[in-house]
Amino acid sequence: MTVMLRGTTWNLRKRVPARYAAVEPRKELWLSLHTDSKAEAEAKAPAIWRAQIEAWEARLAGASEDAERRFQAAQDLAGKRGFSWLPLAEVTHLPRADLLKRIEAIPAHSQQPNRQEAAAILGAVSAPQITVSRAVEHYWNLARDRVADKSPDQLRRWRNPRIKAARNFITLLGDKPISEISGEDMLAFRGWWLDRIDDEGLTANSANKDLTHLGDILKTVNKMKRLGLVLPLGDLALKEGKARPRLPFSSAWIRDRLLAPGALDGLNAQARAIFLLMINTGARPSELAALSAGAIHLHANTPYIEIIGENRQLKSVNAERKIPVQGVSLDALRDFPEGFDRYRANSASLSATVNKFLKENGLKETDGHTMYGLRHAFEDRMLEARIDERIRRDLMGHALDRVRYGLGGSLNDVASRLAPISF
């Protein structure tokens, strides 16, 4: 920050960044800091500058919104006249007959064509300069059909990686208009990720998620806003190594270590109950966290839980199912007949809490084991017991490679098959 004395008052002197030239005619700015103390001036200068930047950004946002409204109005007006909106460069290359139809459709008053209608029909309204951050704002509304059934927790977890991807791009290359994003920009973003992978031990999957999420935002806005841009988003993915499988806990480890007296005493009651419930149901942690009182049937002839899309969007259509509950899982569930309100809206913290507890208490069978390994252990035990594939897939919420005939057997029958492998 450059502070300079003018008379008896200190001022902040800064060049106006090129980004704000459209809303700030001055090339250089002097901002009074209202003090005759240099130390006080230097302390105040950063906040004053931030406030000025925010004011410029607000002006830019307003200009952007005006441009977007003009562009949308032009598209709507062209549609009302029976034409799809095309940019001027494409209109001029239309067949002569189609071009004449557009020209003849322009209303005239006193032999003077209406300029607004002419600009709309002939595509003479420039597409708005939508920045990356502005594209993200549009994206939430344009992609709302994808999140209609998501719970608040699922919505947060869906939004956050997309916010992160856009923020990473902006941090590296600035909040550019998406029309100005070049192939070099995207290669620079890819290269930045390659450096992070080398320096921080990250995986290619992390980079590819960012590239995918950013690409989806840009492509969705380009398509739905009919901007007609050619975006340089191809051939950017990094080669990924072989995915590490989820490691199942062995039956001996579950019996002798995880279910040893007092082994789970340091875990909060709801996390402990979900952990125990997972052992004999194989359900996903997020599915169990979302259980409501209406999905818990403790007083049925065969106690069971229902995995339904009540508080969250299910992973797939096959995920909706009924699972009998017995053994230590049933004992744990009896303490929470209303479900698990602590984790219903935040299942991500459940896995983090449990995995941290397992690590700190020496309960991970190997360094690669996590809470999710209980689901894989349940599948392994069913395989070893030679339980029918249809039953296994129904219980795990997996697709069946053929038509599902019938209901898949009664709960009582399924429970009797699971009893020998339950703890």
Side-chain angles (χ1 to χ4, degrees), residues 10-62:
W10 286 95
N11 284 253
L12 171 62
R13 181 186 180 187
K14 293 276 286 183
R15 290 186 65 83
V16 176
R19 169 174 170 75
Y20 305 114
V23 293
E24 176 54 73
R26 293 170 290 182
K27 301 296 184 183
E28 187 177 73
L29 206 63
W30 288 78
L31 296 172
S32 175
L33 298 170
H34 305 290
T35 181
D36 58 3
S37 165
K38 184 177 182 181
E40 184 179 351
E42 289 175 340
K44 293 171 66 175
I48 296 293
W49 183 245
R50 283 196 300 272
Q52 180 60 54
I53 291 290
E54 289 170 2
W56 280 330
E57 287 291 341
R59 289 187 209 170
L60 276 183

Side-chain angles (χ1 to χ4, degrees), residues 51-73:
Q52 180 60 54
I53 291 290
E54 289 170 2
W56 280 330
E57 287 291 341
R59 289 187 209 170
L60 276 183
S64 174
E65 289 171 8
D66 288 343
E68 289 169 26
R69 282 195 290 269
R70 288 195 298 272
F71 188 63
Q72 185 64 55

Side-chain angles (χ1 to χ4, degrees), residues 209-225:
K209 284 181 179 179
D210 253 24
L211 291 165
T212 298
H213 292 320
L214 178 65
D216 183 45
I217 291 169
L218 301 182
K219 286 186 286 188
T220 298
V221 172
N222 184 38
K223 177 181 178 180
M224 301 304 289
K225 287 290 183 180

